Amino acid sequence: MAATIHDVARHAGVSSRTVTNVLNDYKWVSDETRRRVRRSIDELEFVPNPVARNLRLGRTGLLALAVPNLMASYFAELSEALVDAATLRGFGVVIELTKADPAEELRLLATRARSRLFDGLIFSPLGLGPRELHEVKCMLPVVMLGERVHGDFDHVGVDNVQAAADAVEHLIAMGRRRIAVIGRDNGTGIYRTEGYRRALEHAGIVYDESLVAPTSNYFLDDGSAAMAHLLDQGVMPDAVFCCNDTLAIGALRTLFEHGLHVPNDVAVVGFDDVDDGRYAIPSLTTIAPDKAGLAAMAVDRLVRRMDGDTSPAADLVIPHRLVVRESTAGLAAERATPRAHQRRPRPAASTTRQATSGVASKRPSRSGARRDGTGTS
Amino acid sequence: MAATIHDVARHAGVSSRTVTNVLNDYKWVSDETRRRVRRSIDELEFVPNPVARNLRLGRTGLLALAVPNLMASYFAELSEALVDAATLRGFGVVIELTKADPAEELRLLATRARSRLFDGLIFSPLGLGPRELHEVKCMLPVVMLGERVHGDFDHVGVDNVQAAADAVEHLIAMGRRRIAVIGRDNGTGIYRTEGYRRALEHAGIVYDESLVAPTSNYFLDDGSAAMAHLLDQGVMPDAVFCCNDTLAIGALRTLFEHGLHVPNDVAVVGFDDVDDGRYAIPSLTTIAPDKAGLAAMAVDRLVRRMDGDTSPAADLVIPHRLVVRESTAGLAAERATPRAHQRRPRPAASTTRQATSGVASKRPSRSGARRDGTGTS
DNA sequence: GTGAAAGCGCTAACAG
DNA sequence: CTGTTAGCGCTTTCAC
């Protein structure tokens, strides 16, 4: 029913070879012929079958993107950035959700049935041990996102340890001492918690196990539950470092329900600079990785591998910066930094690791009475 | 390099026909042969090339999902639901972002180059006029999501008008009279605003243009800006109906910044029941569509069309329900309905259109002084 | 039960 | 500059 290249050839009175030449913009087709072929293509409403082309070329123009889920804003934003980056380079992106079992999923994708369907795979594991990865031998180029991983994979991501340390250092600079952490029980969380530990150590604060809240996952309710756990244990931190923004927003909710004021009673800092954080109440201090840069790098890396680059696996570090908002600096700071509230699209992320706004390093006075959270005036 | 079916055949001492038979679980292959072929497959680490199979079969096992973006939580959650539903039925999902120009994107996907790459297309337009759609003649099955659309497309979605009316009726039942609306300037928003209008009319409240806030889009900052616009105009509503949760969460932020208490000063209700809404401060009253049901229906519909169903385009309506939370009922109501805070996964959505919790229909007293937003005790 | 062979629609040597 | 032709790797009709 649909026209083929041969139909076009016959219709135009040329051979199929000439039609491909026209389609693929080869040189050395006479203008006259080209015109005739073009007309036939239009007239027959011919559209080349990409599947046949794929078979012939051995490439599909499709990348697989494996993420745990799309509910957590970070993965939604990351996916969007990656689809953008891929589209720019002419690739389609197939989303695979690794929910249940990332390790199994990777094995499936990298070694099994679907593999030939994709030209490359971008894998963003959340909590994947090095061991699971080691035994995977891939049939296609793979780029790993998230935590650095020991294996023969290209990797692109922020310096989790350093970034987390930056975040916690900020809390310390604000005068906090009893700093809890939420989100350790997880691949990425381990690195970020390590950064937390280093920042404490550097400031001469002892690492206190009781300030580490257990978390099963990285959703809003996990953050909420972890915070509740801390509070129920009678642990009363004066700050919380959350291994991602989603956990942090969940924690904010629990603090709110407990009648605790953020940041006066407890300061909160997240990680990822998800859009929601800017609109959270209070708005969330966080670590902002350059997501667009990350996406571009990942796709570029993949393309390079597809083109035959066989250099050893690279570990690409993308810049991050600390963004200070109300959840650590209070309303005053937010008011002083209207950028925290700017309209999208945001300007390209800076490459510094320092706070964007010069907030006073002195800790806000903590009145015994709770301040009005609605921030009248 | 990679083994083909012929390599396996030779290795097993059979013909390629027999190998396919084994692969596709045909009957009438002797156990002995089957075993031998299986062993060869394992030994050669053969994995069938899906692209070749696609070409032969004329199907790719891929669905295209076109959504405006993934930043707005609704689309992220919708996409996740659709990927789940598709995966269950053996389909992969390619995400296409329609950002800039949905009409053009649809034309591209449905009629041009990529079409043969997908077995079906799920299109979730945000603000797409009927006109743009009419001239699109599709080369593949399409299911439309979101607003009902005049065209020859299958459609699945909630009854936007009725659902919006339910939401606004709830506000009226809570004693609100000056109800603003955010999000009209948009395909879906038009229907929802129509529901808003009907609910007002039904209650004998006049529709006041000055309570309609202009919005350019459906992101957090659009909600925030629209709310600010209302307030700056000196319009002081006692409630706001937002055409989606994302707008509502943005609006909450602006109200917070203006020192207004929700719901005491202004009640807010959203639409979509996005995960974030449950953790917003205050938690957000909203309309909950059955997203999983919607996703399943959309994919089923597509599969049916692929199987040759040529019945006239269907308009499938999925159930919705009103979920009452703090943003209209105050803290007390939330405390009384712990479900609003339950852990994921949520139970299947009910099919009723009524509020899940029986909140008092009496309006909470509005003290002159602002209440403490942090909700001590 | 299994083999031989045609062909899905396209691209790219190889001739001319 | 253009025509002929051999596949890409798989499924399937048709024979045996």
Side-chain angles (χ1 to χ4, degrees):
Chain A
M1 187 222 117
T4 79
I5 218 172
H6 296 104
D7 300 327
V8 176
R10 192 164 348 103
H11 186 274
V14 298
S15 90
S16 60
R17 166 73 212 237
T18 307
V19 179
T20 347
N21 281 353
V22 172
L23 285 173
N24 298 5
D25 274 333
Y26 272 24
K27 303 291 183 209
W28 306 307
V29 180
S30 76
D31 277 5
E32 160 56 14
T33 310
R34 187 184 303 273
R35 223 186 326 273
R36 218 170 52 243
V37 171
R38 282 259 160 74
R39 256 230 338 253
S40 296
I41 288 178
D42 287 348
E43 232 159 282
L44 298 180
E45 293 185 322
F46 166 75
V47 14
N49 182 334
V51 180
R53 169 180 278 155
N54 293 345
L55 177 58
R56 183 66 239 238
L57 260 32
R59 299 179 300 99
T60 63
L62 251 30
L63 303 180
L65 169 61
V67 290
N69 62 75
L70 292 175
M71 300 279 291
S73 305
Y74 176 67
F75 290 115
E77 294 188 13
L78 177 69
S79 301
E80 178 161 335
L82 282 163
V83 171
D84 282 341
T87 303
L88 222 59
R89 292 162 183 74
F91 288 92
V93 175
V94 178
I95 301 251
E96 305 275 343
L97 300 178
T98 60
K99 312 199 154 186
D101 188 348
E104 178 55 24
E105 193 70 25
L106 172 60
R107 196 163 300 124
L108 232 69
L109 279 168
T111 68
R112 277 251 341 266
R114 303 292 276 288
S115 58
R116 305 294 286 267
L117 195 48
F118 306 117
D119 294 341
L121 166 63
I122 297 173
F123 200 90
S124 181
L126 187 61
L128 203 56
R131 226 140 336 131
E132 288 105 315
L133 292 173
H134 233 26
E135 57 193 55
V136 175
K137 41 181 180 161
C138 296
M139 308 192 54
L140 80 179
V142 176
V143 168
M144 285 284 170
L145 266 33
E147 72 241 54
R148 187 181 305 103
V149 99
H150 306 290
D152 219 15
F153 298 105
D154 282 319
H155 170 265
V156 19
V158 298
D159 181 341
N160 279 305
V161 177
Q162 181 60 51
D166 291 349
V168 176
E169 252 163 42
H170 163 64
L171 288 171
I172 295 169
M174 301 296 281
R176 310 293 165 143
R177 303 258 141 229
R178 286 185 58 72
I179 304 174
V181 57
I182 294 180
R184 184 190 55 184
D185 312 321
N186 171 302
T188 307
I190 292 170
Y191 290 95
R192 296 186 182 169
T193 305
E194 170 61 14
Y196 157 88
R197 206 194 48 70
R198 286 199 199 165
L200 291 190
E201 184 177 322
H202 192 261
I205 303 174
V206 300
Y207 179 91
D208 177 355
E209 262 306 318
S210 74
L211 285 169
V212 181
T215 41
S216 51
N217 214 323
Y218 266 43
F219 291 107
L220 285 164
D221 44 11
D222 297 301
S224 174
M227 192 70 233
H229 178 86
L230 283 174
L231 263 22
D232 291 350
Q233 298 289 304
V235 177
M236 186 54 203
D238 59 12
V240 187
F241 167 61
C242 299
C243 288
N244 80 3
D245 282 357
T246 301
L247 289 172
I249 292 172
L252 285 181
R253 174 76 210 178
T254 296
L255 289 165
F256 167 72
E257 286 173 5
H258 281 250
L260 293 167
H261 185 270
V262 177
N264 290 13
D265 298 314
V266 181
V268 175
V269 38
F271 200 118
D272 285 344
D273 190 28
V274 140
D275 212 31
D276 319 327
R278 288 188 299 132
Y279 289 84
I281 295 176
S283 61
L284 191 64
T285 293
T286 191
I287 294 289
D290 175 6
K291 296 192 202 80
L294 185 153
M297 265 195 184
V299 176
D300 281 343
R301 203 72 208 167
L302 230 34
V303 171
R304 215 184 289 184
R305 292 295 179 193
M306 297 185 305
D307 292 349
D309 180 346
T310 55
S311 55
D315 187 358
L316 305 169
V317 177
I318 60 148
H320 66 268
R321 67 203 169 89
L322 175 69
V323 178
V324 177
R325 301 207 189 94
E326 294 166 359
S327 71
T328 59
L331 282 173
E334 180 72 5
R335 287 288 142 79
T337 52
R339 314 186 48 256
H341 226 149
Q342 74 223 342
R343 291 184 62 82
R344 285 170 334 93
R346 280 163 277 169
S350 88
T351 57
T352 68
R353 284 188 176 158
Q354 295 315 307
T356 28
S357 58
V359 261
S361 65
K362 204 158 60 77
R363 178 173 182 185
S365 67
R366 299 175 65 200
S367 56
R370 259 131 219 172
R371 270 223 295 147
D372 183 351
T374 55
T376 307
S377 128
Chain B
M1 188 222 110
T4 80
I5 219 174
H6 297 103
D7 299 328
V8 177
R10 194 166 345 106
H11 186 274
V14 298
S15 92
S16 59
R17 165 72 211 238
T18 307
V19 179
T20 350
N21 282 351
V22 172
L23 285 174
N24 298 5
D25 273 332
Y26 272 25
K27 302 290 183 206
W28 306 306
V29 179
S30 75
D31 278 6
E32 160 56 13
T33 310
R34 188 184 301 273
R35 223 184 326 273
R36 218 171 50 244
V37 171
R38 285 259 159 75
R39 256 228 341 252
S40 296
I41 288 177
D42 287 349
E43 230 159 282
L44 298 181
E45 294 184 324
F46 166 74
V47 14
N49 181 335
V51 180
R53 167 180 280 156
N54 293 345
L55 177 58
R56 183 65 234 244
L57 261 34
R59 298 180 300 98
T60 63
L62 250 31
L63 303 180
L65 168 61
V67 290
N69 62 76
L70 292 175
M71 299 278 291
S73 304
Y74 176 68
F75 291 116
E77 295 188 12
L78 177 69
S79 301
E80 178 161 334
L82 281 163
V83 171
D84 281 341
T87 303
L88 222 58
R89 292 163 183 74
F91 288 92
V93 175
V94 178
I95 302 252
E96 304 275 342
L97 299 178
T98 61
K99 312 199 155 185
D101 189 348
E104 178 54 25
E105 193 71 27
L106 172 61
R107 197 162 298 124
L108 232 69
L109 281 168
T111 69
R112 281 253 337 269
R114 305 289 277 287
S115 59
R116 305 296 285 269
L117 194 47
F118 306 116
D119 295 340
L121 166 63
I122 298 173
F123 200 90
S124 182
L126 188 60
L128 204 55
R131 226 141 335 132
E132 288 103 316
L133 293 173
H134 232 27
E135 56 193 56
V136 174
K137 41 180 181 164
C138 298
M139 309 191 55
L140 79 177
V142 176
V143 168
M144 285 284 170
L145 266 32
E147 72 240 55
R148 188 181 303 105
V149 102
H150 306 288
D152 218 18
F153 298 106
D154 283 318
H155 170 264
V156 20
V158 297
D159 181 342
N160 279 306
V161 177
Q162 181 60 51
D166 290 352
V168 176
E169 253 163 41
H170 164 65
L171 288 171
I172 295 170
M174 301 296 280
R176 309 294 165 144
R177 304 257 140 229
R178 286 184 58 72
I179 304 174
V181 57
I182 294 180
R184 184 190 56 183
D185 312 321
N186 172 301
T188 306
I190 291 170
Y191 290 94
R192 297 187 181 168
T193 304
E194 170 59 15
Y196 157 87
R197 207 193 47 70
R198 286 198 199 165
L200 291 191
E201 185 177 320
H202 192 261
I205 303 173
V206 300
Y207 179 92
D208 178 355
E209 261 310 315
S210 74
L211 286 169
V212 181
T215 42
S216 51
N217 214 324
Y218 266 43
F219 291 107
L220 284 164
D221 43 12
D222 298 300
S224 174
M227 190 71 234
H229 178 85
L230 283 174
L231 265 20
D232 291 350
Q233 297 290 304
V235 178
M236 184 56 201
D238 59 12
V240 187
F241 167 60
C242 298
C243 288
N244 79 4
D245 281 358
T246 301
L247 289 172
I249 292 173
L252 285 181
R253 175 74 210 178
T254 296
L255 289 165
F256 166 73
E257 286 174 2
H258 282 249
L260 293 166
H261 185 270
V262 177
N264 290 12
D265 297 316
V266 181
V268 176
V269 38
F271 200 119
D272 286 344
D273 190 28
V274 139
D275 211 31
D276 318 327
R278 289 189 297 132
Y279 289 84
I281 294 174
S283 61
L284 191 64
T285 294
T286 192
I287 293 289
D290 176 7
K291 295 193 204 81
L294 185 153
M297 266 196 183
V299 176
D300 282 344
R301 203 73 208 165
L302 231 34
V303 171
R304 216 185 288 185
R305 293 294 180 194
M306 297 185 306
D307 291 349
D309 180 346
T310 56
S311 55
D315 188 359
L316 305 170
V317 177
I318 60 147
H320 66 268
R321 67 202 169 90
L322 175 69
V323 179
V324 177
R325 302 207 189 93
E326 293 166 0
S327 72
T328 61
L331 282 172
E334 178 73 5
R335 286 291 140 77
T337 52
R339 311 186 52 254
H341 227 148
Q342 74 222 342
R343 290 183 64 83
R344 283 169 337 90
R346 281 163 276 169
S350 89
T351 58
T352 69
R353 283 183 177 162
Q354 297 314 307
T356 29
S357 57
V359 261
S361 63
K362 207 161 59 80
R363 178 171 180 185
S365 67
R366 299 176 65 199
S367 56
R370 260 131 218 172
R371 272 222 294 145
D372 184 350
T374 55
T376 307
S377 128

